[in-house]
Amino acid sequence: MRILVTNDDGLHSYGLKILVQFAKKLGEVICIAPLQEQSGKSHCIIIKEPFKVVKCDDIIEGVKTYGIDSTPADCVRVAQYYLKEEFDIVFSGVNNGYNLGEDVLYSGTIGAASEGVLCNKKAIAFSTKRDHFMHIEDELEQIIDFIKE
């Protein structure tokens, strides 16, 4: 399985690194994330201005990594249409803060997952309580066990 990992908290966020590490257990991973935090950007895409796409040092060894100067939804679009990367599923997150209730309307994390679906891919958005990453690795193990089934 080829997995595209992105988020809205930015390329250097802790949650992204955790998700990339766990995604590696399921298959080949590419990471494309915003260079800066993009929380609250929903499903926004940039269509009338150019933006930067840069190859970055791998955030996890062996994982091709790019940063873009745009939104989480554009991360998925860059993978699909610009870099022409093959991927089966989008993992978006782990968001630093829940995406529940009306927050789903504003979430860039969910916007990226939604864009994945528009690209005819499967997608999952991951989030956790703000600054509460202490148990996320165990929770991801349970989710990954479910996905493998």
Side-chain angles (χ1 to χ4, degrees), residues 9 14 16 33 55 63 65 75 83 86 129 131 136 148-149:
D9 290 328
Y14 184 66
L16 183 71
K55 176 77 173 91
V63 175
T65 303
C75 291
L83 297 173
E86 295 292 325
K129 182 177 177 183
D131 298 322
I136 195 66
K148 286 181 180 179
E149 291 178 359

Side-chain angles (χ1 to χ4, degrees), residues 3-4 13 24 29 31 38 47 53 57-59 62 68-69 76 87 96-97 99 116 119 133 138:
I3 304 162
L4 171 63
S13 71
K24 282 183 65 173
V29 178
C31 178
Q38 296 288 312
I47 58 173
V53 177
D57 292 335
D58 298 347
I59 61 170
I68 73 167
D69 193 24
V76 177
F87 57 96
N96 186 15
N99 288 314
C119 292
F133 287 101
D138 293 334

Side-chain angles (χ1 to χ4, degrees), residues 10 12 14 28 33-34 36 42 44 59 83-84 110 115 120 134:
H12 302 289
Y14 184 66
E28 187 178 345
Q36 293 86 29
S42 187
C44 178
I59 61 170
L83 297 173
K84 307 233 187 278
I110 292 179
E115 185 64 33
N120 295 314
M134 67 182 110

Side-chain angles (χ1 to χ4, degrees), residues 8 42-43 92 99-100 103-105 107-115 125:
D8 71 356
S42 187
H43 200 134
S92 186
N99 288 314
L100 301 170
D103 290 349
V104 301
L105 299 173
S107 170
T109 303
I110 292 179
S114 297
E115 185 64 33

Side-chain angles (χ1 to χ4, degrees), residues 111-147:
S114 297
E115 185 64 33
V117 171
L118 290 177
C119 292
N120 295 314
K121 308 297 182 182
K122 296 176 183 175
I124 303 173
F126 299 86
S127 65
T128 190
K129 182 177 177 183
R130 181 161 299 285
D131 298 322
H132 198 269
F133 287 101
M134 67 182 110
H135 300 293
I136 195 66
E137 292 170 351
D138 293 334
E139 292 164 0
L140 283 172
E141 283 292 341
Q142 293 175 21
I143 292 167
I144 289 171
D145 287 344
F146 178 76
I147 292 168

Side-chain angles (χ1 to χ4, degrees), residues 20-119:
V20 167
Q21 187 66 45
F22 277 95
K24 282 183 65 173
K25 296 177 181 185
L26 293 171
E28 187 178 345
V29 178
I30 180 171
C31 178
I32 304 175
L35 290 168
Q36 293 86 29
E37 183 177 349
Q38 296 288 312
S39 296
K41 295 290 179 126
S42 187
H43 200 134
C44 178
I45 59 172
I46 295 176
I47 58 173
K48 294 188 177 185
E49 301 170 8
F51 57 84
K52 188 170 32 172
V53 177
V54 294
K55 176 77 173 91
C56 302
D57 292 335
D58 298 347
I59 61 170
I60 301 292
E61 187 175 339
V63 175
K64 191 175 359 175
T65 303
Y66 293 88
I68 73 167
D69 193 24
S70 191
T71 66
D74 272 338
C75 291
V76 177
R77 294 172 59 80
V78 163
Q80 177 83 6
Y81 303 115
Y82 178 70
L83 297 173
K84 307 233 187 278
E85 289 287 342
E86 295 292 325
F87 57 96
D88 304 300
I89 191 167
V90 175
F91 283 7
S92 186
V94 172
N95 193 67
N96 186 15
Y98 291 135
N99 288 314
L100 301 170
E102 67 268 6
D103 290 349
V104 301
L105 299 173
Y106 308 110
S107 170
T109 303
I110 292 179
S114 297
E115 185 64 33
V117 171
L118 290 177
C119 292

